[in-house]
Amino acid sequence: MCHAIKMPDTILITELQNQLALMQAKLDGLEKDKISLQEDKVEMQSRIDHLLAELKLSKSQKYGKKSEKAPRGTFNEAEQHKTTEPPKHHKKGKQILAEHFEREEVEHTLTELTCQCCGEQLHQCGSEDSEQVKIIPAKVSVIKHKQFKYACRHCEHEQLASKIITAPKPKQPIPGSIASPEALSAVVTGKYCDALPLYRFVDILGRGGLELSRGTLANWCIKAGLLISPLVAAMQRHLLSEHSLCADETRTQVLDEGDNPSSNSYMWVYRSNEVSREPVVIYDYQAGRSRACAKEFLAGYQGYLQCDGYRVYDGIEGITPVGCWAHARRKYNDALKAESKNKGRAHKAISFISQLYKLETHAKNKQLSPQARYQLRQEKALPILMHFKAWLDEAEGKVTAGSYIGKAIKYTLNQWPKLMRYSEDGELGIDNNITERDIRPFTTGRKNWLFSKSINGAQASATLYSIVMTCRANDINPYYYFVHLFKTLPNRDEGDDDFTELMPWNVQLDFDYS
């Protein structure tokens, strides 16, 4: 009887325990779901913050100012040191026109020479002079070559045949073409120096009364590139003998390269360092962006190579990579524009880098020698670098790895040995901006002509850009240099590979109005 009474209680307790266990399991499941949802919330919020940062940076890059200079009032420890240099003022007044311009005088006289006061005759007592610029666009003229023929009177009477001798004319840059050295120079300077598409040049010449096709002008450019290529090869040999080089690369599109016309090829740019007295800039067209492209160009070179963080420059035999502080600073500028939460850290990093640039500006203004610049860096830049490195190590663990500030700090730490290297040698620059400036004319021109049709055209562009940018580096007028080359190169002896007298720093131009 007692057992009959206790059995239902036991069953009830067991059922209650099972229900409790089931509820506990559900509760554990709900707790796991809560944790998972919280993790998803954090991840989604992080993703939203990152997308908002990307949107903010994109808007800043599209609509904001392009300069990386910090605005006045921005926290910057380097600004605490007041400069003793006097402020620069812009020149005022009318511009004085250079003496080498051709001048024509226009005289203005009075038609009535009677004095209005007394009626007597006026006499001339001086003049008031002023000048204006006169520009004649696309002035086309024709060079008529008249080669006189000569014969011998004695042979005409005494011999069975008489030989006629024609006076020779200088060899032309494109044999059988109507292109004179001056015309060829105008076309290649317009395209490769002024980023003028050939179809616009056709229109300009048409307004001057000369009808030429775009295909003809393109053919002139390709043949001009072939003519100058031995000189550019000599410039490359000179470049690879220098103490240190700079390098960068940018994409280009060549329709005849590969199976896919929309695929990217690359224009690589190598140049002398910023203190070189005989600077050379070489453009090198390549179908790809692999390490093999850099190894091929730099074969045999031993020395420093300043570049961005692109890995293909690492591991090349004989090359010591040098980092670019402008690239590092740019990442902190991006973080400053994109992330409002990390502005303090971004400002702090930019402040360290600004102090390094302050020293470089001082060295440039004082025109310090490479040895003096090395001493300045050892004494003043190294302590800043060590302080910056300690700050980076501490800040790395306090920021989100995928944030802009996190990526900037990681990039700086990964590149640190290369970024430190500029302090080892006074001939090295603090950044690679000098090469970026030399590659900018190509990127500007690319916006106008969009692509190259053939590989030969791309290679000719590389050759002609090399001449244009080397002229700029040596501060000479590319048009007159091209004229000199197109007159001289066709008349050189075949096999003569000594181009010393034609190098930009040696050549004597008749009309160097740079």
Side-chain angles (χ1 to χ4, degrees):
M1 192 71 179
C2 294
H3 290 293
I5 295 172
K6 291 180 179 178
M7 284 296 291
D9 291 341
T10 305
I11 294 172
L12 181 60
I13 292 171
T14 301
E15 289 180 354
L16 290 173
Q17 288 176 339
N18 290 338
Q19 290 178 7
L20 182 62
L22 183 62
M23 293 179 66
Q24 186 62 43
K26 289 183 178 179
L27 183 62
D28 292 342
L30 290 172
E31 188 66 27
K32 289 180 180 178
D33 290 343
K34 177 183 176 183
I35 295 173
S36 178
L37 288 171
Q38 287 176 340
E39 291 176 349
D40 290 344
K41 178 183 177 183
V42 171
E43 183 179 352
M44 289 300 296
Q45 187 61 48
S46 176
R47 180 62 178 161
I48 290 171
D49 290 342
H50 184 70
L51 290 174
L52 288 174
E54 286 187 340
L55 179 61
K56 187 176 180 182
L57 178 60
S58 177
K59 286 184 176 179
S60 176
Q61 290 173 339
K62 186 174 183 179
Y63 302 111
K65 66 171 188 173
K66 305 301 182 183
S67 174
E68 296 175 8
K69 294 181 179 179
R72 291 185 179 182
T74 302
F75 170 71
N76 187 344
E77 292 179 3
E79 292 179 358
Q80 296 177 5
H81 305 283
K82 294 184 178 179
T83 178
T84 58
E85 297 174 3
K88 295 181 179 179
H89 298 283
H90 295 289
K91 293 181 179 179
K92 297 182 179 180
K94 189 176 292 187
Q95 180 182 354
I96 299 177
L97 302 177
E99 291 295 329
H100 62 72
F101 289 128
E102 180 183 345
R103 280 169 165 76
E104 60 178 275
E105 286 192 4
V106 180
E107 297 182 352
H108 305 279
T109 60
L110 293 177
T111 56
E112 179 61 47
L113 296 179
T114 303
C115 179
Q116 296 181 356
C117 296
C118 64
E120 295 295 324
Q121 189 79 1
L122 297 175
H123 70 277
Q124 192 177 85
C125 60
S127 65
E128 182 177 323
D129 299 338
S130 60
E131 293 186 329
Q132 290 179 310
V133 174
K134 179 180 180 180
I135 300 175
I136 303 175
K139 182 180 179 180
V140 178
S141 60
V142 177
I143 302 174
K144 184 175 182 178
H145 294 275
K146 182 175 288 190
Q147 298 172 259
F148 288 100
K149 299 180 179 180
Y150 299 86
C152 176
R153 293 292 186 188
H154 181 268
C155 291
E156 288 177 355
H157 292 92
E158 303 295 333
Q159 303 296 330
L160 296 177
S162 176
K163 187 176 181 180
I164 297 177
I165 300 175
T166 303
K169 70 174 182 179
K171 294 181 180 179
Q172 298 301 304
I174 304 178
S177 170
I178 64 171
S180 68
E182 291 81 3
L184 204 55
S185 300
V187 173
V188 296
T189 303
K191 179 174 181 180
Y192 298 104
C193 186
D194 302 325
L196 191 66
L198 292 181
Y199 75 88
R200 294 183 189 171
F201 209 97
V202 168
D203 293 339
I204 292 172
L205 294 177
R207 290 195 295 271
L210 178 62
E211 299 294 333
L212 291 175
S213 69
R214 183 167 52 176
T216 297
L217 298 185
N219 189 44
W220 286 7
C221 292
I222 291 175
K223 291 187 176 181
L226 290 173
L227 178 62
I228 291 178
S229 58
L231 172 62
V232 173
M235 288 181 174
Q236 180 177 340
R237 292 192 295 270
H238 176 87
L239 178 66
L240 296 180
S241 68
E242 294 205 358
H243 166 274
S244 57
L245 308 181
C246 305
D248 201 359
E249 72 288 330
T250 188
R251 63 174 180 82
T252 186
Q253 188 177 348
V254 180
L255 299 185
D256 291 348
E257 182 73 76
D259 298 328
N260 185 5
S262 63
S263 62
N264 284 330
S265 301
Y266 287 87
M267 197 69 79
W268 298 63
V269 179
Y270 304 87
R271 68 151 293 142
S272 311
N273 64 50
E274 62 183 34
V275 298
S276 174
R277 295 185 177 182
E278 298 176 350
V280 173
V281 182
I282 300 294
Y283 275 67
D284 182 38
Y285 168 75
Q286 294 288 346
R289 201 186 178 206
S290 66
R291 180 178 282 109
C293 300
K295 288 179 67 175
E296 179 184 355
F297 185 93
L298 297 169
Y301 173 69
Q302 303 279 331
Y304 292 105
L305 180 68
Q306 191 152 32
C307 50
D308 55 20
Y310 191 35
R311 294 181 179 178
V312 299
Y313 297 110
D314 299 335
I316 300 178
E317 185 179 356
I319 301 299
T320 304
V322 182
C324 173
W325 275 104
H327 279 79
R329 180 181 59 188
R330 204 165 293 150
K331 295 187 180 298
Y332 292 105
N333 279 323
D334 289 346
L336 193 64
K337 296 173 183 176
E339 298 173 343
S340 57
K341 295 180 180 179
N342 292 299
K343 284 186 179 291
R345 288 193 175 94
H347 274 305
K348 184 68 174 178
I350 292 173
S351 175
F352 279 117
I353 299 173
S354 295
Q355 292 178 64
L356 298 176
Y357 272 90
K358 184 89 172 178
L359 295 175
E360 297 303 308
T361 302
H362 171 77
K364 184 176 181 180
N365 291 340
K366 296 295 184 181
Q367 298 182 342
L368 298 184
S369 66
Q371 181 60 30
R373 190 157 68 161
Y374 166 76
Q375 293 293 338
L376 178 68
R377 291 170 177 173
Q378 292 294 306
E379 294 173 7
K380 296 188 177 182
L382 280 182
I384 299 172
L385 289 166
M386 294 300 99
H387 190 190
F388 189 22
K389 178 63 164 56
W391 180 86
L392 289 168
D393 291 335
E394 181 183 358
E396 184 183 19
K398 298 180 180 180
V399 297
T400 305
S403 64
Y404 278 92
I405 188 66
K407 291 178 181 178
I409 291 174
K410 184 178 180 180
Y411 174 87
T412 309
L413 289 173
N414 289 341
Q415 295 288 315
W416 191 258
K418 300 178 190 177
L419 291 171
M420 283 282 295
R421 200 157 281 148
Y422 88 100
S423 63
E424 298 177 0
D425 195 308
E427 291 196 24
L428 298 175
I430 191 173
D431 56 37
N432 198 31
N433 282 350
I434 190 171
T435 314
E436 291 190 356
R437 287 194 294 271
D438 284 338
I439 212 169
R440 193 169 296 129
F442 176 82
T443 58
T444 301
R446 185 179 59 199
K447 293 178 182 178
N448 291 334
W449 41 258
L450 300 179
F451 55 82
S452 295
K453 175 65 173 66
S454 66
I455 297 175
N456 288 338
Q459 291 172 339
S461 294
T463 300
L464 295 167
Y465 269 118
S466 299
I467 295 295
V468 167
M469 301 316 299
T470 301
C471 283
R472 189 174 79 168
N474 287 274
D475 195 28
I476 66 174
N477 189 307
Y479 170 78
Y480 294 111
Y481 186 55
F482 274 124
V483 171
H484 182 76
L485 294 181
F486 293 146
K487 288 182 177 181
T488 304
L489 288 174
N491 295 284
R492 286 173 58 90
D493 295 332
E494 293 185 10
D496 185 0
D497 58 355
D498 183 9
F499 293 90
T500 304
E501 77 282 359
L502 288 180
M503 293 297 180
W505 48 88
N506 291 330
V507 72
Q508 297 294 323
L509 300 180
D510 294 333
F511 305 97
D512 188 1
Y513 298 152
S514 56

